[in-house]
Amino acid sequence: SGNPVKEILVQSQEEDSDLIVMGCHKSGDYQWEGAVNLPQKVANNAVCSVLVIKEKKKIRKIACCLDQENISQKSIEMINQMLTLYQTELEVVGLTDGTALKPRVAKNLDAILKYYNARQIKAWIKLVDAGSLASFISQEARRSMMALWMGEHSLLSKMFPPSKVNKLIQGSQSSVLLLR
């Protein structure tokens, strides 16, 4: 009863949830029990990770935009679970500054790739200029499940204010996993 967004968020905090899973239609009808844009509002305000599942669609790839400096082990494990669930490949997106990777980011991407290779998970790295990340994500969301590290100190959380997260969830034809 009451405001569904508020109730979901309170419940997830009371239960100390790691993940909120919500379903919605890819057709663009995001009303849920009379609450307009409920998945977007929950995704923007939750302190834990949120998975917005679109109507059944074959997921062929999970594209992960990870803040290579701050990603949590819990988030990596959630990605592992999605890979196992969907039996798909993984593309880890690394951000460049227009010319090259910073040595620290290159080292962290290498560590992530080694982590997945050690688990026999097919993964590869895709480098994207930070200035074109929003358009890359918008394009990629049409064909791949997106997993975005949106933690408190994440570069992505600064690049994707709530209005852009709303557009991503609405415009994506596949599921979206916001990691925190």
Side-chain angles (χ1 to χ4, degrees):
S1 64
N3 179 326
V5 173
K6 188 176 182 179
E7 294 296 322
I8 290 168
L9 295 173
V10 167
Q11 184 69 30
S12 72
Q13 287 179 344
E14 285 176 0
E15 298 294 325
D16 195 25
S17 299
D18 292 327
L19 178 67
I20 298 171
V21 180
M22 306 193 69
C24 65
H25 298 286
K26 66 180 178 185
S27 65
D29 179 13
Y30 297 101
Q31 292 189 14
W32 194 78
E33 295 292 323
V36 178
N37 299 328
L38 183 114
Q40 295 93 316
K41 289 177 183 175
V42 170
N44 284 324
N45 295 296
V47 295
C48 64
S49 297
V50 177
L51 173 61
V52 179
I53 299 177
K54 299 290 182 113
E55 286 184 86
K56 187 172 182 174
K57 178 183 175 168
K58 174 72 174 152
I59 294 177
R60 298 187 194 318
K61 177 177 65 172
I62 298 175
C64 296
C65 295
L66 307 173
D67 184 335
Q68 290 83 15
E69 296 184 30
N70 297 311
I71 187 84
S72 70
Q73 182 64 33
K74 188 187 310 185
S75 293
I76 293 287
E77 289 170 9
M78 279 191 207
I79 293 168
N80 294 350
Q81 291 174 13
M82 293 298 126
L83 291 166
T84 300
L85 177 67
Y86 290 109
Q87 296 292 303
T88 190
E89 298 175 348
L90 174 65
E91 178 180 77
V92 178
V93 178
L95 298 180
T96 68
D97 63 2
T99 55
L101 284 174
K102 295 177 185 175
R104 181 189 220 175
V105 172
K107 180 181 175 185
N108 290 339
L109 282 172
D110 186 53
I112 290 170
L113 192 57
K114 284 180 181 176
Y115 172 89
Y116 284 112
N117 286 337
R119 283 152 183 79
Q120 299 177 341
I121 294 172
K122 187 176 180 179
W124 66 92
I125 303 287
K126 172 137 183 140
L127 300 178
V128 176
D129 180 68
S132 62
L133 180 64
S135 62
F136 169 80
I137 289 174
S138 177
Q139 266 186 333
E140 196 65 32
R142 293 185 187 122
R143 59 181 171 253
S144 305
M145 178 179 176
M146 294 302 304
L148 304 171
W149 169 246
M150 303 291 284
E152 185 178 335
H153 301 291
S154 169
L155 174 65
L156 290 174
S157 66
K158 294 173 186 153
M159 295 175 74
F160 281 88
S163 63
K164 284 191 177 181
V165 171
N166 292 347
K167 287 180 183 178
L168 173 65
I169 292 171
Q170 286 177 334
S172 176
Q173 294 177 8
S174 189
S175 301
V176 177
L177 175 60
L178 301 175
L179 299 159
R180 293 191 175 93

